[in-house]
Amino acid sequence: MDAGSLDGVRQRFRGHVSVTVAEARTVQPFFARSAAPQIHADVVVLSDATLDELVSDTQQVLTFKAGARQLDDLREGAVIISGRGAGFARRILKKIVLPQGNFLLDTLPVSLSDIIEDGTLIGGYATAGSGTEGIARVLSLGQGVTLANRARPLGASSEFNVDVPLNAEETSKITGKINVEWNPEFAVDFRLGSGLKEAELLVNPTVRPDLSFVKGPEDIEKEVLFDLGVFELTPFTIQVGFVPVVVVPTVKGYAKVSAKGGVQVNFASGYSLQGSYGAHYRKGSGWDGVFSTQLDGNFTPVGAVKIEGELGVGVYMAMAVYNVIGPFIQVGPYLRATGELNTASETGLCKKFRADLGIAAKVGGSFKVLSWYESKLELSLIDKVVKNLVDTQSSSCNDTTPPLSPEGLNAVATGSRTIELSWTPSTDEGGLRGHQVERDGVVVALAREGKHVDASLQAGHEHCYRIIAVDLSGNQSLPSTRACARTSATDRTAPTVPAQVTATATSTTAIHLSWQANSDDVGVIGYVVSANGKRLRSLADTSMDIGKLTPETNHCLVIEAFDAMGNVSPPSEPVCVSTLPPDQAAWTMQLGCVGRDHNISRNIDLDVDGASLVNVTGEAIDYSGSALAYHLHGSYEPSTHVLDAQIDWTFSNSTAVRMDRFTAQLSTDDTGPVTMTQVLKTGCDANIRFVQNTR
């Protein structure tokens, strides 16, 4: 068949073009070992009986009914975990128990490294028979097995109908169906004394779009993203032992179209993606992308086609561990069509046309759910044309003019196995086929736009790149200037110890902490702050305000620095400081029934200078002389000095919970009585008043 003749084009499109292409990377087995998980000694797994007594969970304050089980085990400093539903994992900061009444636990989220001391967890999602509930499945991967040949669990499929008009007259539209299967996998390995050793997060999607594009007589000039609809699916759970991993899936179709000419355009595209996409973490090496792609595709035009466009489907999957959103994986197969052809007749005009299948995938988000020593990740796995479906031009074409040379090539190593390239895309009057990526003198990819991810490299090696633009006639531009980058080597060197740590009590319940920025051979990316031997928070800054502390209490603070490879510095020397005594609190809070003297007067700090969220717990005495506990929580707007908050009350000798909402203006030294609105009514209407104290 003569691919350059129009007769050849007619012959080619009597059926549809179908191809299969696979691209796979060999990866290591899940982990070097598999061992039963062991939890830390201070971890308490909440029983179903205890969870049945949970009354509320508001801003990390848990209220349990009187007589709840495991009360003695729920001590301050312990980590409590719940596997019910989305679950939660918290460390208890404060415990308030009322005689014959409810009890409150003021808590702080923790990561898996606070729960698992040693061992591995490996799980996937599968359908149980013909049902829809997910079941845990242990997966294994032998040495040297590629992801493409990997046994995968089967996930429930979802099908969506698409009918999206592209103009007001609805003469141009995209119609069809999208079918998606998910199949996520999750695995972690913790080592005794050193924390997270390895982790792997994957989604193994099957995506089958079957879409048609119809253009009416009007031009479609817009080169913008046409939203085919966002389909929020019901989250499902991988129950991996005692760890519930909630998967939040989303499907988003898109079309980027520029079609011209008075004739109608009608073409159908169908393709099927099966692959594996995700990231693998190894301590000392950091995060690397892992992926495998297999694409089947077809492209069937009818009549005249003159278009510059792209049809694709974005599959987005976020993972939440213990109800905290963590990493995401995004996969986007697409079909790109460029040029002009006519399957019905020869016009004597030059007609060049190309249709390609491609794939873009990335992984990112926060990994704090796995370890306090998190490394936020934005890692592109693949973004390139994988296979050509149609590449033809009519015999009247005589284009010998090459495209302009690409400019501004930049190469940046983003890991031990990955280099990301970016450049200013070239242009050509007859249309571009793409940009050839040349690594060390060898063409390794055809990129669709001004970016490419080279993700199959070795650690500690330098590579040099050039970009060459190719038009639809096959003409090549002059190469771009060369850009080089070296992948990072395996790093076992810990950052230096944080220095110049200072701590100052700023209120009865808060301490301000600061320290000098650290040095490291590859760069410090964060710090972990611990108080009295318990981790509180990880952050990238060199200062923080620590709140929700107990008045007039000594707190010893240490800082650890960590780099992108998971290496952790020795802790700084402890710096100890006491919070201010209660009589130095900034405010006196008065509470009482409307029309009566207030019966509660408490010195409190709202700590509005250190945070926009207000979260205060405490104890007091009711009119009857019995004990009560309160949780004041809400938000503070510094620009207007407005506190919008709620108080939750619980009382001794009762399982009832009362809730009052209020808005107070804190710009003066006395708010005056502010009448609150009862959300859960248990008694009289109440006032709240804030009087500023003089320190």
Side-chain angles (χ1 to χ4, degrees):
M1 182 187 301
D2 181 5
S5 69
L6 194 59
D7 287 339
V9 173
R10 293 195 190 101
Q11 180 68 29
R12 176 174 295 188
F13 289 121
R14 286 177 182 170
H16 68 262
V17 179
S18 180
V19 299
T20 301
V21 59
E23 178 176 326
R25 283 183 54 196
T26 300
V27 297
Q28 298 300 315
F30 259 118
F31 304 127
R33 65 150 196 179
S34 178
Q38 302 174 23
I39 63 176
H40 286 282
D42 63 353
V43 173
V44 178
V45 181
L46 298 180
S47 66
D48 286 339
T50 299
L51 291 170
D52 288 341
E53 303 300 317
L54 179 61
V55 177
S56 64
D57 180 359
T58 307
Q59 286 194 9
Q60 300 165 21
V61 174
L62 306 171
T63 301
F64 290 88
K65 291 181 182 178
R69 314 299 197 275
Q70 300 176 281
L71 177 59
D72 293 338
D73 295 332
L74 305 181
R75 60 195 179 278
E76 292 182 358
V79 171
I80 55 176
I81 60 176
S82 163
R84 178 176 291 182
F88 59 77
R90 315 269 183 81
R91 188 178 298 281
I92 301 173
L93 300 179
K94 183 189 296 185
K95 178 179 178 180
I96 301 175
V97 181
L98 297 175
Q100 305 301 314
N102 298 338
F103 68 91
L104 276 66
L105 300 178
D106 195 354
T107 64
L108 183 75
V110 299
S111 71
L112 281 184
S113 59
D114 291 300
I115 301 170
I116 304 174
E117 185 175 39
D118 188 74
T120 55
L121 286 174
I122 302 174
Y125 185 84
T127 53
S130 59
T132 58
E133 293 186 359
I135 59 173
R137 169 175 171 173
V138 175
L139 305 169
S140 62
L141 184 65
Q143 180 73 35
V145 176
T146 63
L147 286 171
N149 299 322
R150 182 179 191 159
R152 297 192 303 237
L154 297 176
S157 64
S158 302
E159 187 170 278
F160 314 102
N161 293 317
V162 176
D163 187 3
V164 179
L166 299 181
N167 58 0
E169 297 81 7
E170 298 191 12
T171 54
S172 297
K173 62 173 57 181
I174 296 172
T175 60
K177 293 182 178 181
I178 301 172
N179 185 278
V180 179
E181 295 179 5
W182 297 97
N183 315 313
E185 298 175 21
F186 172 86
V188 288
D189 180 31
F190 289 87
R191 298 296 177 92
L192 186 65
S194 61
L196 183 65
K197 181 70 174 180
E198 288 190 76
E200 188 167 77
L201 307 165
L202 287 174
V203 61
N204 306 287
T206 299
V207 185
R208 300 184 185 91
D210 188 2
L211 302 174
S212 295
F213 168 66
V214 177
K215 175 192 169 295
E218 301 85 9
D219 288 350
I220 301 295
E221 298 282 356
K222 302 175 182 178
E223 294 192 19
V224 298
L225 196 66
F226 289 99
D227 192 357
L228 297 183
V230 177
F231 306 97
E232 293 287 352
L233 305 178
T234 302
F236 53 89
T237 301
I238 310 171
Q239 190 67 41
V240 187
F242 50 81
V243 180
V245 181
V246 177
V247 178
V248 185
T250 304
V251 178
K252 184 173 183 177
Y254 71 93
K256 188 165 55 175
V257 180
S258 174
K260 300 179 181 180
V263 297
Q264 287 205 184
V265 176
N266 186 335
F267 71 79
S269 77
Y271 52 89
S272 174
L273 166 73
Q274 286 186 305
S276 295
Y277 306 91
H280 192 119
Y281 170 84
R282 297 176 184 85
K283 189 172 184 177
S285 299
W287 288 96
D288 282 313
V290 290
F291 65 88
S292 165
T293 295
Q294 183 172 333
L295 275 171
D296 297 330
N298 62 74
F299 181 85
T300 308
V302 178
V305 176
K306 184 178 182 181
I307 191 170
E308 174 79 26
E310 196 171 295
L311 291 177
V313 177
V315 176
Y316 181 93
M317 188 192 77
M319 288 185 177
V321 179
Y322 285 120
N323 209 26
V324 178
I325 291 291
F328 70 83
I329 302 171
Q330 183 173 316
V331 182
Y334 62 86
L335 183 141
R336 189 182 187 196
T338 303
E340 180 180 2
L341 61 80
N342 192 318
T343 61
S345 64
E346 172 69 77
T347 65
L349 298 176
C350 173
K351 290 183 173 58
K352 296 176 287 186
F353 191 83
R354 183 178 176 93
D356 295 302
L357 282 175
I359 180 75
K362 65 181 180 180
V363 59
S366 171
F367 291 84
K368 190 182 291 187
V369 294
L370 305 181
S371 172
W372 284 99
Y373 309 110
E374 69 162 334
S375 53
K376 289 187 177 179
L377 185 63
E378 190 71 27
L379 178 64
S380 294
L381 304 177
I382 182 174
D383 188 351
K384 68 177 183 180
V385 172
V386 175
K387 183 66 177 182
N388 170 247
L389 297 181
V390 182
D391 187 5
T392 187
Q393 57 184 295
S394 60
S395 57
S396 58
C397 292
N398 188 26
D399 179 13
T400 59
T401 303
L404 297 176
S405 178
E407 297 180 345
L409 177 61
N410 187 40
V412 178
T414 55
S416 61
R417 296 171 60 87
T418 306
I419 292 176
E420 292 191 12
L421 306 175
S422 61
W423 63 91
T424 302
S426 181
T427 58
D428 185 83
E429 286 188 2
L432 278 180
R433 174 183 299 177
H435 297 81
Q436 288 183 352
V437 178
E438 182 184 276
R439 181 216 304 148
D440 301 330
V442 178
V443 175
V444 294
L446 181 68
R448 57 173 174 162
E449 294 178 347
K451 58 184 178 180
H452 174 69
V453 181
D454 201 4
S456 56
L457 308 173
Q458 292 185 344
H461 284 64
E462 183 180 65
H463 297 282
C464 293
Y465 298 85
R466 297 192 307 177
I467 306 298
I468 301 168
V470 183
D471 67 17
L472 293 179
S473 296
N475 301 306
Q476 296 187 359
S477 73
L478 293 174
S480 68
T481 56
R482 194 174 68 154
C484 303
R486 179 180 294 274
T487 55
S488 57
T490 300
D491 176 22
R492 306 290 183 186
T493 304
T496 58
V497 178
Q500 298 185 21
V501 181
T502 60
T504 305
T506 56
S507 75
T508 61
T509 53
I511 292 172
H512 180 75
L513 186 66
S514 63
W515 58 94
Q516 186 182 51
N518 264 55
S519 62
D520 182 70
D521 55 346
V522 297
V524 171
I525 65 168
Y527 303 88
V528 171
V529 177
S530 298
N532 304 326
K534 305 298 183 182
R535 295 186 182 97
L536 296 179
R537 183 182 169 191
S538 64
L539 70 165
D541 297 330
T542 55
S543 67
M544 71 171 291
D545 291 289
I546 305 170
K548 300 178 70 172
L549 303 176
T550 303
E552 206 169 5
T553 304
N554 194 52
H555 298 275
C556 292
L557 307 163
V558 298
I559 315 295
E560 299 166 285
F562 61 94
D563 62 22
M565 302 302 174
N567 301 303
V568 182
S569 74
S572 64
E573 288 295 321
V575 174
C576 300
V577 64
S578 292
T579 48
L580 300 178
D583 60 3
Q584 294 189 36
W587 298 91
T588 296
M589 178 181 69
Q590 299 174 352
L591 288 148
C593 290
V594 174
R596 299 179 64 180
D597 292 337
H598 65 264
N599 69 312
I600 297 174
S601 181
R602 305 286 295 179
N603 288 334
I604 69 167
D605 275 304
L606 301 173
D607 294 328
V608 293
D609 293 332
S612 59
L613 291 179
V614 175
N615 202 333
V616 180
T617 57
E619 300 174 75
I621 302 298
D622 203 355
Y623 283 108
S624 63
S626 59
L628 61 82
Y630 61 85
H631 175 210
L632 189 158
H633 55 92
S635 60
Y636 175 76
E637 175 51 56
S639 62
T640 59
H641 306 287
V642 171
L643 173 63
D644 185 14
Q646 176 174 307
I647 297 185
D648 301 338
W649 309 85
T650 187
F651 308 90
S652 58
N653 303 307
S654 173
T655 59
V657 175
R658 170 176 174 148
M659 298 180 184
D660 292 272
R661 288 202 59 83
F662 68 92
T663 300
Q665 172 61 249
L666 302 183
S667 58
T668 63
D669 57 4
D670 188 346
T671 64
V674 177
T675 301
M676 299 188 290
T677 301
Q678 291 194 56
V679 179
L680 289 181
K681 189 177 180 71
T682 61
C684 69
D685 290 332
N687 284 333
I688 189 169
R689 182 177 187 175
F690 294 95
V691 179
Q692 196 166 37
N693 298 325
T694 301
R695 288 182 177 174

